[in-house]
Amino acid sequence: MIWAAFRLQRLQLLILLGVLVVGSGVIVLLRYDMIDVLNSSQLARCVALSIEECAAPPGAQKAFRTDWSTAFESARALIIVLPALIGVFVAAPLYAQELEQGTHVLAFTQSVSRTRWMFSKLVVALVPALVVLVVLQYLVWWWLSAAGTLGPRMNGPLYTLNFGIDHVSPVAYALFAFTLGTFLGAVFRRTLVAMTAGLAAFVVVRFALSGVAYRLVPSQRRESGASENADLRADGVVLDSGWLDGAGRPVPSDKAVALADSCKLTPAGTLNTTEGYLACTSDAGLVKRYASVIPESSAPLAHLYDFAIFGGLAVLLLAATAWALRRQS
């Protein structure tokens, strides 16, 4: 059964092998080329420093980011798009093609059960696709990490594009896309319909659930006095921010804006001083600023929640696929 599944899917497997070889070679070459540029531009020490701390020649950082931004974005796009491509071109035709051509009838008349037939084809298609994804994901991480703060990593691990290519999230998206494609193929019995519907459904669900993992992670409430210049939004994702009154309760945003605007002018109509403005806002009930932040240290936990969400959907879709195939004649 396994050998038959390999024979039927040899084209997809050869394409996956080509993507793995070509993608890996390109990423490795780009990384070593980038390191040479960092050394020649005297930027090698700046990969772990902030923009202000880097002592490289003026304009070197900007030139490096300009020259390499397209390559970095392409690498991230590859890992973000690859799960969708796996679902469309590997998973959707997996059962739909046999159901559409009627070749499933021969398989169903053999001694092999429908469940074993389904899982044999699924394993042969899914495992190589996941191997390609994981290897390319690691190589992209290896490359972007070498650029440090001069590359996309400067935005932190919770930045949307960085989050989508790190940890176990890409695997979760691939599992969801794969099971979604197989389910639609078993239901619609038409390859092109399953591919089109699978791509559309994956994009919709992926974006609809993109912020759910953040919401499940416990946030930190950071506070500062009105006169302090503390950056409450640093090192994390801000869920909510605003003003607190004297009792520590959040002030509604529209009310806070109105009070702050009214304090910009003195009773005589002249522009208020900084001290006068702060005294006015304090008297009006705007005592402290606050921000609810998910710190960057919580990124691994957010990835686990992300995997649980999309992995759970994948399990449900797998069960639904088995049910749909059992009903085929």
Side-chain angles (χ1 to χ4, degrees), residues 92 96 178-190 193-202 317 321:
F178 189 92
T179 53
L180 177 63
T182 56
F183 170 69
L184 294 176
V187 170
F188 291 123
R189 301 168 59 101
R190 295 292 183 270
V193 174
M195 293 171 69
T196 305
L199 178 60
F202 175 79
L317 287 168
T321 302

Side-chain angles (χ1 to χ4, degrees), residues 201-284:
F202 175 79
V203 172
V204 170
V205 175
R206 174 75 175 81
F207 280 98
L209 300 180
S210 60
V212 174
Y214 291 164
R215 300 288 175 177
L216 297 175
V217 176
S219 61
Q220 295 179 351
R221 180 161 165 172
R222 302 174 180 176
E223 300 179 4
S224 70
S227 60
E228 298 177 10
N229 293 322
D231 186 5
L232 302 179
R233 299 169 176 263
D235 302 326
V237 174
V238 178
L239 301 178
D240 187 25
S241 63
W243 287 90
L244 300 175
D245 60 19
R249 296 169 300 192
V251 180
S253 58
D254 54 345
K255 181 181 179 181
V257 170
L259 292 173
D261 289 341
S262 65
C263 289
K264 292 180 180 179
L265 299 177
T266 65
T270 58
L271 188 64
N272 211 341
T273 62
T274 302
E275 293 77 9
Y277 173 79
L278 294 175
C280 176
T281 54
S282 179
D283 294 339

Side-chain angles (χ1 to χ4, degrees), residues 31-52:
R31 183 182 186 274
Y32 283 110
D33 186 29
M34 183 196 70
I35 291 177
D36 288 340
V37 172
L38 289 173
N39 291 329
S40 62
S41 302
Q42 302 179 33
L43 289 170
R45 296 183 178 180
C46 295
V47 297
L49 303 175
S50 64
I51 296 176
E52 296 76 13

Side-chain angles (χ1 to χ4, degrees), residues 1 104 107-121 325-326:
M1 191 66 210
H104 69 289
F108 288 174
T109 58
Q110 304 302 309
S111 59
V112 177
S113 66
R114 296 191 181 190
T115 301
R116 183 180 174 186
W117 173 80
M118 181 192 81
F119 278 103
S120 297
K121 290 176 66 65
L325 289 175
R326 284 180 177 276

